[in-house]
Amino acid sequence: MIGPIATYSTIFVLINLAIAVAIGGLMYRQQRKEATFTVRVLTGLVLGVLLGAAMHLLYSGDASTAAIITTTNAYLDIVGTGYVKLLQMIVMPLIMVSIVGAILKLNGASELGKISALTIGTLLATTAVAAGIGILMAKFFGLTAVGLSSAAAEVARGEYLQGTLANAKAISLPSLLLSFIPTNPFLDITGARKTSTIAVVIFSIFIGLSATGIATAKPLLFASFSQFVNVAHAIVMGMVSMVLRLTPYGIFALIAMVVAESSYADILKLINFVVASYSALLLMFGVHLCLIAGAGLNPVRFAKKIFPVLAFAFTSRTSMGAIPMNVQTQTQRLGTPEGIANFAASFGATIGQNGCAGIYPAMLAIMIAPTVGIDPFTFSFIAQLIAIVTIGSIGVAGVGGGATFAALIVLSTMNLPVALAGLLISVEPLIDMGRTALNVSGAITAGTITSRVLGETDINVFNSDAEFTTDEAEHRV
């Protein structure tokens, strides 16, 4: 027999889900009325926050009502995580067909080398700047791990980090660079390794260069292959457009779950670190806008156009899953050629993440150093820290947990206790949302700068006031 408490919980879960369905109907109506993509994303974000806050306010009082949040979120997760999985499904095919197709149109390997050098150079340079901003904010807000108390969750997290330290210490730059080479490209297409994205990029480059090598000797074969790539590209872009239509719904579900489950008491306990982190993230985003302005582009227009993809990255906390929307944003809204956009999005999901691999480990090192009697604000410590952060940012996985791995690399290299990083576990999801959005912003900035320097940017597309919609993208395919 179902007890009264269980019946009570079921009723409120059904009410929550009915409200969520009604909100979904509202967003679908917006789509039918051809509301802009940005407006629909913003609607999903705002309504998700409101629903999550309402659930937290009504049901987070005790264990019996908290179960209502857990059950509701399990159903919302079908939409939120399901959307992320669909994006991850099309990442590797998108990378392959776009990069192969771009290479077939390039003027030799030298052009490819320029794109790679400019993109990776911009990512690493901005990561070094991000580390410096993280250090500055840690100093300004007086952040330190001295005196922070550890509850059971923090202790458990610290023990986990200590247990994974061996894996971080085993990573060296030569071995990391070696892991980029695709020994089994078909395995990497499945995303089985942390460096699978770069491995697929390299494999795609080899395919493209091999194809261009037969262009003169076997023109008919080359023409047939080019046609095949064009067809594959059209099909994949159709898939991308179909999935991106679900963006407002995915963002709504993801942000509702996060807000409903957040512990506001834990956030208040570490509010100084939260404010310092978001101050650093906003400052670094300002650096991105300054770089865009320095390239002769309107930074306000740039910020407006990349908002939807940043909103997705913020709610989903996955740089890798944001690759399809990242590429679409660069090509459809910023006028960046597909080849450059794919290089920037792919490399930016693994190399030089400004938030996860730049700001976060730098702030942690500054906080933890005083606990072992080290003054973190000496020139030698800061110079060493920025260098290690920049180099260590190569190969950070573009999925949840990449920041933790980057922090382990930096802290272990500088002989600082890694277990103390577990003290921040209660606000980790909240901080990770902003970090991921900054990672994606950095990748888009790298692509935009590279395109602009090489004179490839379609300035008419960048300056266009027309809003991007997934329907428009499909028609263009």
Side-chain angles (χ1 to χ4, degrees):
M1 179 180 289
I2 300 175
I5 294 179
T7 303
Y8 168 86
S9 298
T10 302
I11 290 173
F12 280 98
V13 168
L14 291 174
I15 292 174
N16 296 338
L17 295 178
I19 294 172
V21 170
I23 292 174
L26 172 64
M27 291 188 291
Y28 178 73
R29 187 176 180 183
Q30 282 185 316
Q31 181 177 334
R32 296 284 294 178
K33 289 189 172 183
E34 299 184 352
T36 64
F37 189 63
T38 301
V39 168
R40 287 155 49 202
V41 167
L42 185 59
T43 300
L45 186 65
V46 171
L47 293 179
V49 170
L50 293 176
L51 178 61
M55 288 196 297
H56 182 88
L57 179 64
L58 294 173
Y59 309 124
S60 62
D62 55 61
S64 61
T65 54
I68 298 174
I69 294 178
T70 303
T71 305
T72 303
N73 280 357
Y75 286 98
L76 290 176
D77 194 48
I78 297 173
V79 178
T81 301
Y83 172 66
V84 173
K85 287 181 178 294
L86 288 174
L87 284 171
Q88 292 171 335
M89 172 188 73
I90 57 179
V91 166
M92 296 305 184
L94 175 63
I95 290 173
M96 288 195 67
V97 299
S98 297
I99 289 181
V100 171
I103 291 176
L104 297 182
K105 301 173 185 176
L106 289 177
N107 297 320
S110 60
E111 191 74 14
L112 182 64
K114 291 178 184 178
I115 293 173
S116 301
L118 278 169
T119 301
I120 295 174
T122 302
L123 288 168
L124 294 180
T126 52
T127 299
V129 174
I133 289 176
I135 293 169
L136 180 65
M137 288 297 99
K139 172 69 173 177
F140 182 79
F141 284 89
L143 299 182
T144 178
V146 176
L148 284 180
S149 58
S150 301
E154 284 79 7
V155 171
R157 179 64 171 177
E159 292 174 351
Y160 167 78
L161 294 176
Q162 195 68 44
T164 57
L165 182 59
N167 292 332
K169 284 187 173 182
I171 297 295
S172 65
L173 184 58
S175 65
L176 193 61
L177 294 175
L178 194 60
S179 71
F180 292 162
I181 300 176
T183 306
N184 183 349
F186 299 102
L187 176 67
D188 286 317
I189 288 173
T190 68
R193 301 188 299 140
K194 289 185 176 180
T195 54
S196 284
T197 304
I198 292 183
V200 170
V201 169
I202 293 174
F203 180 60
S204 302
I205 290 172
F206 271 89
I207 293 176
L209 292 178
S210 299
T212 56
I214 67 170
T216 302
K218 301 178 179 180
L220 292 179
L221 283 178
F222 177 76
S224 297
F225 180 74
S226 297
Q227 180 63 21
F228 166 75
V229 172
N230 289 335
V231 172
H233 182 267
I235 292 172
V236 170
M237 292 308 294
M239 291 172 58
V240 170
S241 298
M242 289 171 62
V243 174
L244 290 188
R245 288 182 182 181
L246 304 175
T247 300
Y249 309 98
I251 287 177
F252 162 73
L254 290 166
I255 195 64
M257 290 189 295
V258 170
V259 174
E261 291 182 337
S262 295
S263 172
Y264 300 155
D266 288 339
I267 293 173
L268 289 175
K269 184 174 67 174
L270 293 170
I271 190 64
N272 201 36
F273 178 74
V274 174
V275 174
S277 296
Y278 272 90
S279 296
L281 294 170
L282 289 172
L283 280 175
M284 191 59 210
F285 182 64
V287 171
H288 292 167
L289 296 183
C290 288
L291 290 173
I292 295 300
L297 300 172
N298 187 325
V300 176
R301 187 182 296 275
F302 174 84
K304 178 183 176 182
K305 291 194 170 191
I306 69 173
F307 169 76
V309 65
L310 296 190
F312 167 72
F314 183 83
T315 54
S316 67
R317 297 167 55 196
T318 167
S319 301
M320 195 73 69
I323 287 177
M325 195 185 302
N326 185 332
V327 173
Q328 285 285 69
T329 298
Q330 291 189 63
T331 57
Q332 302 288 345
R333 308 193 75 183
L334 301 177
T336 300
E338 281 197 9
I340 296 176
N342 273 278
F343 270 96
S346 303
F347 283 126
T350 312
I351 292 176
Q353 295 184 347
N354 291 182
C356 290
I359 289 174
Y360 184 66
M363 292 182 76
L364 278 185
I366 295 296
M367 291 178 63
I368 292 174
T371 65
V372 290
I374 298 176
D375 181 3
F377 297 108
T378 62
F379 175 79
S380 59
F381 185 90
I382 291 175
Q384 181 185 13
L385 176 58
I386 292 177
I388 291 173
V389 165
T390 304
I391 296 172
S393 70
I394 300 174
V396 175
V399 295
T404 299
F405 194 74
L408 285 176
I409 293 174
V410 172
L411 296 177
S412 62
T413 303
M414 301 194 72
N415 296 314
L416 296 174
V418 299
L420 291 177
L423 295 173
L424 305 172
I425 184 176
S426 58
V427 295
E428 177 69 14
L430 177 62
I431 303 299
D432 194 43
M433 295 167 76
R435 290 192 309 239
T436 308
L438 186 68
N439 294 342
V440 174
S441 174
I444 296 175
T445 299
T448 304
I449 294 297
T450 300
S451 176
R452 187 67 169 161
V453 170
L454 295 178
E456 298 290 337
T457 301
D458 187 336
I459 201 67
N460 291 327
V461 172
F462 185 93
N463 289 330
S464 172
D465 290 327
E467 281 282 347
F468 165 77
T469 70
T470 50
D471 295 327
E472 286 174 3
E474 189 172 18
H475 290 313
R476 286 173 186 147
V477 172

